[in-house]
Amino acid sequence: MELPIYLDNNATTPLDPRVLEAMLPYFTNKFGNAASRNHAFGWVAEEAVDYSREQVAKLIGCTEKEIIFTSGATEADNLGIKGVFEMYQDKGNHIITATTEHKAVLDTCKHLEKAGAKVTYLKVKEDGLIDLQELEAAMTDQTILVTIMYGNNEIGVVQPIKEISAIAHKHGALFMTDATQAVGKIPVDVNADGIDLMAFSAHKMYGPKGVGVLYVRRKNPRVKVTAQIDGGGHERGMRSGTLNVPGIVGLGKACELCRLEMDSEAKRLSGLRDKLESALSQMEESYVNGNVEHRLPHVANISFKYVEGEGLMMAMKDLAVSSGSACTSASLEPSYVLKSLGLSDDLAHSSIRFGLGRFTTEEEIDYAIENTKKAVNHLRDLSPLWEMFKEGIDLSKIEWAEH
Amino acid sequence: MAYSEKVMEHYTNPRNVGTLNKDSKSVGTGLVGAPECGDVMRLQIEVDENNVITDAKFKTFGCGSAIASSSLATEWLKGKTVDEALTIDNMDIVEELALPPVKIHCSVLAEDAIKSAINDYRVKNGLEPFELAKSHH
């Protein structure tokens, strides 16, 4: 076992060696531009892109023509939301999203507010799921788009996508989802789920960084988005720019591997995750964040009360994890996702996210359990709050000098 | 963000972790910060009849820089008179630990903890508390 151990697979995943192997020829002798229609170099590249498109389509249950390649999920979110807003302006200006969305969605919506969009940010329940009745109540005749993420990047909860899309469609709105954390990890089928637009990226599923997808439905209904990047009219005019052929080949291979291995891999990962989670939640004053029934198989988010997340991560120095602590962000605010669940700031400061992946072994999880327990106990020995808690002092009754 | 060697050293081997008897007349306790803000420091000093700090202890809830700042503070306090202790400035801590700008508040908190402990000691012994400078944050 090599140290440190990587348990931050929601941030990014390592490239699968099989993916790298598929990509390599497209950096060197198969370097052609997929848009070069008049010679063999271009045809070879185009053929590779077509094959990749097929693999992506198979994974999410759509047709090849519905795939728009982008530079990643952030660009796909921008193109989907801004593109729909601009294309359907005459139908309405209202967009519905949720407070726990990724910044790529939230900041795009904020941007559109300046351009005249009206945006509703749905709150989530304590378990991180949105309230379907609240969604229904928020729909108006001006609502053109509902955009709710599939699986959350911090806590892993999976939203009731079918129900959400049904509500959107009942009111004549389109449904978009940022499925970056879900595609390749759990079954996602754009038809069964009623998805009209969907963003995701390769590097969260053992593919390369710098390539992603916006799925845009072509039938029932035919959805159009206004291009955000103008140029040579690639990707059916919706996203200009020379195709990143090696990246797209890698994405295709990554999708193929995920499709073939998903069932067994999801079982293996949820088994390891449950082992980690049950061992750590047996510790005194530790709390699992988010719904534990509807969630991704590879994420555990746990708050260890009375210790601070960044300090804790320093003590877990052989584990690469992430924290909702303010100290890990530039803003000095704790995670807005955890706060949206109604977690108090001190619990948000105390949270650690463990993100398991394809290359995580049971031996690593055993090590992570011991290492985390030791770190939590060490920091509690240093914590005045833990001492006060042990003495039975009610910390909420103390007048803290907030700074 | 990478931590300086000195922060890592104090974090890995914190000095003077522990608790003094807060009810003793010779002990002053400072408890500063707030759990919601992600850092709370408790710093205690024991003062002898010559106004010399003979012992100092801390416990801190916070990031590595907060733990290192309070560990360093206790190290500096021991052997100093109360008056000398009052001259410890947060920028001395910043310099010693090479704290980056985003962690300066950790040093401010440590300075506040020192002053608050000294005042607790003074009030317990029938002395006027020092006028504390306005909070830096």
Side-chain angles (χ1 to χ4, degrees):
Chain A
M1 187 175 62
E2 268 182 54
L3 297 177
I5 294 167
Y6 189 71
L7 288 174
D8 203 12
N9 284 280
N10 297 88
T12 192
T13 55
L15 192 75
D16 190 301
R18 295 169 290 180
V19 172
L20 178 64
E21 201 185 333
M23 290 170 70
L24 283 174
Y26 295 91
F27 285 109
T28 51
N29 56 333
K30 298 182 180 178
F31 60 86
N33 186 330
S36 297
R37 290 273 156 78
N38 303 310
H39 52 65
F41 295 90
W43 301 331
V44 167
E46 191 186 17
E47 199 180 312
V49 168
D50 286 348
Y51 180 75
S52 175
R53 226 182 270 281
E54 209 178 293
Q55 295 306 318
V56 179
K58 268 190 188 166
L59 179 64
I60 61 171
C62 70
T63 64
E64 290 90 328
K65 287 188 173 163
E66 296 174 304
I67 306 286
I68 309 292
F69 290 121
T70 66
S71 64
T74 292
E75 188 196 331
D77 281 325
N78 271 266
L79 174 57
I81 298 168
K82 290 176 183 167
V84 163
F85 177 73
E86 287 172 18
M87 184 61 74
Y88 296 89
Q89 252 174 359
D90 52 337
K91 285 190 69 187
N93 67 343
H94 183 220
I95 296 171
I96 299 177
T97 186
T99 55
T100 51
E101 292 291 309
H102 192 272
K103 287 285 182 193
V105 169
L106 291 176
D107 287 355
T108 301
C109 287
K110 290 221 172 74
H111 177 92
L112 289 181
E113 281 180 294
K114 285 183 221 147
K118 221 179 143 273
V119 181
T120 301
Y121 301 91
L122 294 175
K123 293 197 172 68
V124 297
K125 298 180 284 187
E126 249 176 34
D127 61 1
L129 297 177
I130 67 160
D131 184 331
L132 294 172
Q133 283 175 332
E134 265 179 45
L135 170 63
E136 179 91 53
M139 300 291 307
T140 72
D141 58 357
Q142 289 293 303
T143 310
I144 49 173
L145 179 69
V146 174
T147 179
I148 301 287
M149 72 195 335
Y150 212 113
N152 185 272
N153 49 311
E154 288 193 33
I155 51 177
V157 300
V158 173
Q159 299 288 352
I161 294 296
K162 277 185 197 134
E163 287 79 358
I164 295 169
S165 65
I167 292 170
H169 294 153
K170 193 172 90 184
H171 294 270
L174 295 172
F175 174 66
M176 171 166 164
T177 186
D178 175 343
T180 307
Q181 298 287 345
V183 168
K185 314 290 171 49
I186 57 173
V188 170
D189 183 302
V190 291
N191 290 315
D193 291 336
I195 295 165
D196 299 312
L197 301 110
M198 180 164 80
F200 57 99
S201 70
H203 79 100
K204 307 281 200 218
M205 48 169 155
Y206 315 98
K209 291 167 186 64
V211 58
V213 169
L214 180 67
Y215 157 79
V216 183
R217 177 172 289 280
R218 256 166 74 93
K219 249 199 219 158
N220 306 316
R222 184 186 178 91
V223 179
K224 282 185 175 171
V225 294
T226 305
Q228 302 298 309
I229 296 178
D230 297 311
H234 307 77
E235 298 301 272
R236 295 167 42 234
M238 288 192 251
R239 203 278 190 181
S240 288
T242 297
L243 291 181
N244 167 8
V245 177
I248 289 167
V249 168
L251 167 65
K253 187 67 188 177
C255 286
E256 183 184 1
L257 295 173
C258 283
R259 178 170 54 83
L260 297 173
E261 297 173 3
M262 186 187 300
D263 288 350
S264 59
E265 184 60 4
K267 265 191 215 108
R268 188 185 77 87
L269 284 178
S270 63
L272 290 180
R273 189 266 318 272
D274 292 347
K275 183 178 189 184
L276 175 81
E277 195 172 84
S278 77
L280 294 180
S281 60
Q282 273 167 21
M283 295 189 77
E284 212 178 338
E285 293 295 310
S286 69
Y287 301 91
V288 175
N289 297 316
N291 189 300
V292 293
E293 246 172 83
H294 304 285
R295 61 169 167 170
L296 301 169
H298 61 293
V299 196
N301 190 307
I302 307 176
S303 286
F304 301 96
K305 213 172 174 184
Y306 310 118
V307 297
E308 192 278 330
E310 188 192 342
L312 182 56
M313 285 196 299
M314 262 175 95
M316 299 158 69
K317 61 178 186 304
D318 291 327
L319 303 180
V321 294
S322 69
S323 169
S325 156
C327 288
T328 62
S329 72
S331 66
L332 293 182
E333 281 294 317
S335 152
Y336 67 91
V337 171
L338 294 176
K339 288 186 74 177
S340 292
L341 306 190
L343 239 69
S344 59
D345 279 15
D346 57 329
L347 270 181
H349 280 297
S350 302
S351 73
I352 296 286
R353 176 185 71 182
F354 299 89
L356 285 60
R358 183 176 287 167
F359 303 103
T360 307
T361 65
E362 180 151 20
E363 192 189 7
E364 288 178 334
I365 291 300
D366 291 337
Y367 185 91
I369 291 169
E370 286 319 305
N371 193 288
T372 306
K373 278 186 179 171
K374 238 167 84 183
V376 170
N377 288 330
H378 168 66
L379 283 177
R380 281 181 173 169
D381 286 342
L382 286 182
S383 168
L385 304 179
W386 179 250
E387 185 183 301
M388 290 157 95
F389 163 72
K390 281 288 171 186
E391 284 171 355
I393 295 169
D394 183 351
L395 293 172
S396 66
K397 297 261 155 62
I398 292 180
E399 268 189 49
W400 300 101
E402 291 199 28
H403 53 287
Chain B
M1 178 178 35
Y3 296 97
S4 73
E5 246 169 69
K6 281 190 174 147
V7 168
M8 279 311 286
E9 209 277 309
H10 272 278
Y11 176 80
T12 316
N13 309 298
R15 329 285 200 265
N16 309 309
V17 175
T19 309
L20 298 172
N21 177 11
K22 65 176 189 300
D23 298 325
S24 160
K25 255 190 106 165
S26 59
V27 170
T29 301
L31 181 67
V32 297
E36 300 80 61
C37 303
D39 33 34
V40 174
M41 277 182 200
R42 190 193 60 200
L43 196 143
Q44 296 183 298
I45 51 170
E46 185 158 22
V47 183
D48 72 6
E49 59 281 2
N50 301 319
N51 228 17
V52 172
I53 297 169
T54 55
D55 201 2
K57 297 272 184 210
F58 85 94
K59 279 199 177 184
T60 290
F61 161 85
C63 66
S65 303
I67 289 169
S69 296
S70 31
S71 167
L72 177 67
T74 57
E75 208 174 39
W76 279 354
L77 284 170
K78 282 208 223 174
K80 280 200 168 61
T81 65
V82 170
D83 291 339
E84 285 165 348
L86 275 171
T87 65
I88 296 176
D89 187 81
N90 81 288
M91 287 315 286
D92 302 337
I93 297 172
V94 170
E95 220 165 279
E96 176 68 19
L97 295 176
L99 295 180
V102 68
K103 295 296 183 189
I104 287 179
H105 71 276
C106 298
S107 70
V108 172
L109 208 58
E111 185 189 320
D112 287 354
I114 294 171
K115 302 216 153 113
S116 158
I118 290 172
N119 268 345
D120 181 57
Y121 168 77
R122 287 182 62 88
V123 170
K124 263 188 192 164
N125 289 279
L127 301 165
E128 282 288 305
F130 288 109
E131 190 74 29
L132 293 188
K134 275 260 176 280
S135 179
H136 307 246
H137 21 243

